[in-house]
Structure formats: structure tokens, C-alpha cells
């Protein structure tokens, strides 16, 4: 999509331009699961796509009994995976809300993850779902050598996921989030883990974005010159390296990786690399994600402001 032909409003839905997923979301809202089964089954060994679709569909299904009906009527790896995804979302929401049902919901979610893993032993997605709950109990296993702060965490669970898929995107982001301050970690630990994980990844991998994610997470507007951090040579060079090595691969993706593109575009704008940021926004088209923009204010306003900085059009009012 050409940036100068921007029309209408931003599209915030996480399905983005995965048209199959967008259609299935409508079916799930209507209480139908047949197309969800097909959308997950066709992912095959593309575990990144399987993780993405199952996570988006779980957010659509978590408020209904669809996955319970599906699993009862058609027990299979796909229905078991969706039950695990939905159960984990419910458990995390209950824990964050300090709901008295949180402990029971967590037990249900762990059992659901185990069932899904047993039905599809090669699929890392159930283990990634379980990894999302690690923050609830602050698992404190020793870190491997090579980290300055040696932060303890769910390292064995993470290692098992990597044994199934070494560069699993969601697993890396879930693991990194364990070390965020809002979940009981620290800024230094998050930076240390982000640097360690990104340096292991290939140069053209989206996992190279992990330090930029940690940087946004640590943003504190009360600190002196907080908005100038991205201009520092280490962060500018990080963003530019991702721009040169990863962005060219995006055209071959089965769906636009909007969230990753948004972190890259944001970092480039903040580093005053408007030319490069413009190309990233062009790759995003009209699709949008709330992060990282919501860390700095209203996401739509922050996104439009960044696009204007790059000389790009933004949606009109209404």
C-alpha cells in the first residue's frame, strides 16, 4: 500500500492483513469454530503463524463458551490449543484483577496447556502459553553464563520452547516480559536479557528488536531528557541495523508484522531517522498497534504525530 494513498482510518485489529484470520474472528464472535479449526490446521509447522492466529482467536473467544463446546464436540490438537490459549488469558486476567478465582483458573490453564502439548508434542505453542503464566509465581531458576546481572527466571521452560523452535517470536517476548518491572523484575535485568537474546538471533531476525522493546518498557517521562535516549549511538545503530537487515524480509511474510514494525518505526522517529522511518510506516500501511505508542500517550495521536514527522498523511477526523 503506497503511503501517499492513505485513506480512511487506522486498522487496530491484530489480524491486520491476514484475511483468513480476520474472517475467522467474525465466525468466532458468532459462535462458530469450524473455520478456526481450518485456519489453525493449515499453519502446519509454521509455528509463528500458529502462535499468532491462536493468540488473536483466543482474545475473541475468551468471553464465551465457544472453546469449551468445540473441545467437547471435536477433541483435536486445534481445539485443545485454543482451550489452552483461552484458559491462560482468563487466568492472567483474573490474577491481574486479584480475582478470588485466580488460583483455580491457573490450575485449569496449566492442565489445558499440558493436554494441548500431549496432543501435539512438536508444537511449541502450548509451552509458550504456559510461559506466559510464569510471572504469576516468579520462577527463579539460575540464568546461564553470559548475562551481566544473571537474573533468575523460567529458564528451563524457555529452553524447552527453544528446543522445539529456536527463534520463536512470542516465546522470546513472553520470556522478556517476565523481567519487566511491572511483573517484579528490574530495568537492568530486562535490558540484560533483551541484549542476550537479541545477540543470539540472526541479524535479519525480528528478535533483534527485543532491546527496543525493553527500552520502551523502561521509559520514564519524569527523567531528564527521557525522549532523547533513542538518539544515543547504541540505540540509533540498533534501529538502523534492524532497518537494513530485517525490514527487507517483511515483504515475504504471510501477514504484516505490525507490532514489530511499530517498534522499529517508533525507534527510528525518536532517533531522528525520518527517512528510514518513512519506509517502515509504508510497510505498515494503515494497520496499527497500540504499543509502543500507548506508552507515550494516546496511541492514535502518537502514531499520527510520528507519521507527520516523516511527512506522511494521517487519517482525517471521523
Amino acid at each position: 500500500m503506497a503511503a501517499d494513498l492513505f485513506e480512511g482510518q487506522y486498522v487496530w485489529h491484530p489480524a491486520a492483513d491476514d484475511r483468513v484470520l480476520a474472517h475467522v474472528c467474525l465466525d468466532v464472535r458468532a459462535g462458530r469454530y469450524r473455520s478456526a479449526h481450518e485456519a489453525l490446521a493449515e499453519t502446519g509447522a509454521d509455528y509463528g503463524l500458529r502462535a499468532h492466529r491462536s493468540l488473536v482467536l483466543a482474545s475473541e473467544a475468551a468471553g464465551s463458551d465457544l472453546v469449551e463446546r468445540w473441545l467437547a464436540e471435536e477433541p483435536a490438537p486445534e481445539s485443545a490449543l485454543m482451550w489452552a490459549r483461552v484458559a491462560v488469558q482468563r487466568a492472567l486476567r483474573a490474577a491481574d484483577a486479584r480475582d478470588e478465582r485466580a488460583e483455580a483458573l491457573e490450575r485449569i490453564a496449566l492442565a489445558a496447556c499440558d493436554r494441548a502439548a500431549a496432543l501435539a508434542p512438536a508444537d511449541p505453542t502450548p509451552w509458550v502459553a504456559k510461559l506466559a503464566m510464569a510471572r504469576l509465581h516468579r520462577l527463579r531458576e539460575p540464568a546461564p553464563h553470559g548475562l551481566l546481572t544473571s537474573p533468575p527466571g523460567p529458564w528451563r521452560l524457555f529452553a524447552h520452547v527453544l528446543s522445539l523452535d529456536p527463534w520463536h517470536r512470542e516465546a522470546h517476548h513472553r520470556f522478556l516480559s517476565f523481567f519487566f518491572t511491572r511483573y517484579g523484575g528490574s530495568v537492568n535485568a530486562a535490558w540484560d536479557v533483551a541484549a542476550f537474546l537479541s545477540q543470539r538471533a540472526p541479524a535479519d531476525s525480528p528478535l533483534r528488536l527485543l532491546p527496543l522493546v525493553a527500552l520502551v518498557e523502561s521509559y520514564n517521562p519524569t527523567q531528564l531528557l527521557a525522549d532523547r535516549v533513542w538518539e544515543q549511538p547504541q540505540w540509533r545503530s540498533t534501529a538502523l541495523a534492524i532497518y537494513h537487515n530485517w525490514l527487507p524480509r517483511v515483504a515475504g511474510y504471510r501477514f504484516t508484522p505490525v507490532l514489530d514494525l511499530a517498534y522499529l518505526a517508533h525507534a527510528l522517529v525518536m532517533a531522528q531517522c525520518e527517512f528510514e522511518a518513512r519506509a517502515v510506516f509504508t510497510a505498515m500501511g494503515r494497520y496499527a498497534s497500540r504499543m509502543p505508542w500507548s506508552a507515550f500517550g494516546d496511541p492514535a495521536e502518537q502514531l499520527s504525530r510520528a507519521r507527520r514527522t516523516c511527512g506522511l498523511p494521517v487519517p482525517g477526523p471521523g
Side-chain angles (χ1 to χ4, degrees), residues 19 58 77 95 115 129 132 146 154 163 171 194 213 221 227 231 242 262-263 298 300 305:
R19 295 180 180 177
R115 178 174 181 173
S163 72
V213 174
D227 289 345
E231 298 176 30
I242 297 166
Y263 272 101
D298 177 82
R305 178 182 177 185

Side-chain angles (χ1 to χ4, degrees), residues 14 16 48 52 167-170 172-173 176 204-213 216 239 242-243 246-247 249-250 253 255-268 280-281 283-284 287-293:
H52 173 67
W167 312 119
H168 197 284
R169 182 200 175 279
E170 185 186 342
H172 282 76
H173 282 265
L176 175 60
D204 60 353
S205 169
L207 297 178
R208 291 283 178 153
L209 284 156
L210 290 171
L212 300 181
V213 174
V216 170
I242 297 166
Y243 168 81
W246 172 66
L247 184 63
R249 293 192 58 203
V250 170
Y253 278 38
F255 65 92
T256 301
V258 178
L259 183 58
D260 288 338
L261 288 169
Y263 272 101
L264 178 55
H266 170 266
L268 290 169
V280 180
F281 281 126
M284 290 171 63
Y287 300 103
S289 62
R290 302 196 181 280
M291 285 295 288
W293 316 109

Side-chain angles (χ1 to χ4, degrees), residues 30-314:
R32 299 186 293 266
Y33 60 74
R34 170 52 53 187
S35 62
H37 174 92
E38 294 170 354
L40 291 176
E42 77 167 23
T43 61
D46 186 342
Y47 296 126
L49 183 62
R50 188 173 179 85
H52 173 67
R53 285 184 172 177
S54 61
L55 185 61
V56 173
L57 290 175
S59 67
E60 297 285 354
S64 72
D65 67 347
L66 180 134
V67 293
E68 289 91 337
R69 289 191 291 106
W70 181 6
L71 188 62
E73 296 170 6
E74 195 176 271
E78 287 72 29
S79 57
L81 174 60
M82 282 304 303
W83 170 229
R85 284 296 213 176
V86 165
V88 167
Q89 284 205 15
R90 291 172 180 167
L92 292 174
R93 290 174 184 174
D96 292 342
R98 301 182 183 275
D99 191 310
E100 61 183 11
R101 301 169 298 167
E103 190 173 325
L105 289 172
E106 184 185 356
R107 287 197 299 270
I108 292 171
L110 288 171
C113 290
D114 288 340
R115 178 174 181 173
L119 287 175
D123 183 4
T125 321
W127 297 97
V128 175
K130 185 180 285 191
L131 185 61
M133 292 191 292
R135 64 177 173 85
L136 299 182
H137 297 293
R138 301 300 304 165
L139 295 178
R140 301 185 65 80
E141 297 157 0
H145 296 296
L147 285 90
L148 295 175
T149 59
S150 297
W155 289 96
R156 277 185 290 184
L157 178 55
F158 182 55
H160 181 70
V161 176
L162 300 191
S163 72
L164 299 172
D165 186 352
W167 312 119
H168 197 284
R169 182 200 175 279
E170 185 186 342
H172 282 76
H173 282 265
R174 293 288 190 188
F175 185 70
L176 175 60
S177 70
F178 177 92
F179 300 96
F180 289 167
T181 55
R182 58 187 156 119
Y183 297 140
S186 69
V187 170
N188 286 339
W191 279 348
D192 195 11
V193 170
F196 177 75
L197 297 180
S198 68
Q199 289 165 7
R200 289 178 62 254
D204 60 353
S205 169
L207 297 178
R208 291 283 178 153
L209 284 156
L210 290 171
L212 300 181
V213 174
L215 188 59
V216 170
E217 185 67 25
S218 68
Y219 174 72
N220 182 353
T222 66
Q223 291 181 339
L224 185 65
L225 302 177
D227 289 345
R228 305 295 294 274
V229 172
W230 284 263
E231 298 176 30
Q232 295 177 7
Q234 71 179 99
W235 299 117
R236 178 177 287 175
S237 63
T238 295
L240 287 173
I242 297 166
Y243 168 81
H244 288 294
N245 295 319
W246 172 66
L247 184 63
R249 293 192 58 203
V250 170
Y253 278 38
R254 290 184 64 176
F255 65 92
T256 301
V258 178
L259 183 58
D260 288 338
L261 288 169
Y263 272 101
L264 178 55
H266 170 266
L268 290 169
V269 169
M270 297 293 280
Q272 298 186 6
C273 299
E274 289 87 358
F275 174 82
E276 292 81 1
R278 182 184 178 102
V280 180
F281 281 126
T282 300
M284 290 171 63
R286 61 194 181 102
Y287 300 103
S289 62
R290 302 196 181 280
M291 285 295 288
W293 316 109
S294 60
F296 303 85
D298 177 82
E301 292 178 1
Q302 293 295 317
L303 175 55
S304 291
R305 178 182 177 185
R307 287 180 60 91
R308 289 192 192 98
T309 298
C310 299
L312 293 171
V314 300

